[in-house]
Amino acid sequence: MATWLDSTDFARYALIPEELLPTWEGTEADDVIHEYVSALRLAGHDILTLGAEPLSVTWLAEPLTFARWYYADDDTGLLSAVRTAMTANRWEDVLSLELGGRYVLTDAAYEADRVLDSLRAAQQPAEALRVELPPGRYRVQSLTIDPDPKTRFLLERLLPE
């Protein structure tokens, strides 16, 4: 089973470079709250945001994919469903951005102290996930999958360009 961030009250997550995290104020992504996938630029870094709905989210490192939980009994079979979806031709291009290094995925509204405390305490439920990416330009693509009639996930994958 994956580690999931509980659904956000503010309907957006941010993938924050670790080096910018100590100065994160929790208001930087306010302008993109209604976008499913967006990016903002801060201190020379692209920051990926996932928003528009307060869905739980997880990071799947091997397929470089974020999964958001619409509905499901559990996440058993998620990884195999994502692997199957990788070859689907229904992926929609959303945006391109420059990423690379160590990041933290968290509720965009959380201030730095809360995120750092969560990472130090390794608390459950988790409020932040660590993400590491090789440097480069990435295309973000979205796809909704329904592995069965009672299961739906929204995926955002990062494709190296």
Side-chain angles (χ1 to χ4, degrees):
M1 292 201 149
T3 300
W4 292 87
L5 297 183
D6 273 345
S7 61
T8 169
D9 292 336
F10 301 100
R12 67 188 176 283
Y13 296 97
L15 186 64
I16 307 165
E18 272 194 6
E19 65 190 74
L20 298 183
L21 190 55
T23 60
W24 188 261
E25 296 177 1
T27 58
E28 290 84 349
D30 284 351
D31 292 340
V32 295
I33 189 171
H34 300 295
E35 302 292 329
Y36 274 90
V37 180
S38 188
L40 55 106
R41 190 110 176 122
L42 183 65
H45 296 274
D46 286 336
I47 297 173
L48 178 67
T49 64
L50 307 174
E53 293 189 49
L55 303 172
S56 296
V57 66
T58 192
W59 167 246
L60 304 171
E62 186 233 313
L64 297 178
T65 301
F66 296 97
R68 290 193 269 172
W69 187 311
Y70 268 111
Y71 52 84
D73 290 335
D74 58 41
D75 65 355
T76 306
L78 171 64
L79 192 54
S80 63
V82 170
R83 286 188 180 127
T84 299
M86 288 297 138
T87 59
N89 61 2
R90 302 180 330 255
W91 287 91
E92 294 180 28
D93 287 337
V94 181
L95 56 87
S96 290
L97 70 168
E98 197 76 30
L99 298 171
R102 297 175 59 143
Y103 292 84
V104 174
L105 178 69
T106 190
D107 188 311
Y110 292 168
E111 293 180 6
D113 288 344
R114 180 172 180 171
V115 177
L116 293 168
D117 288 347
S118 173
L119 291 170
R120 280 191 285 271
Q123 66 190 41
Q124 293 300 323
E127 290 188 345
L129 296 175
R130 293 190 183 277
V131 174
E132 193 155 340
L133 293 166
R137 188 139 191 92
Y138 290 86
R139 183 168 18 130
V140 181
Q141 294 184 319
S142 290
L143 177 69
T144 301
I145 60 170
D146 299 285
D148 63 58
K150 295 181 180 182
T151 306
R152 174 173 279 179
F153 293 97
L154 173 60
L155 307 178
E156 276 89 30
R157 70 177 174 183
L158 303 177
L159 288 177
E161 291 187 329

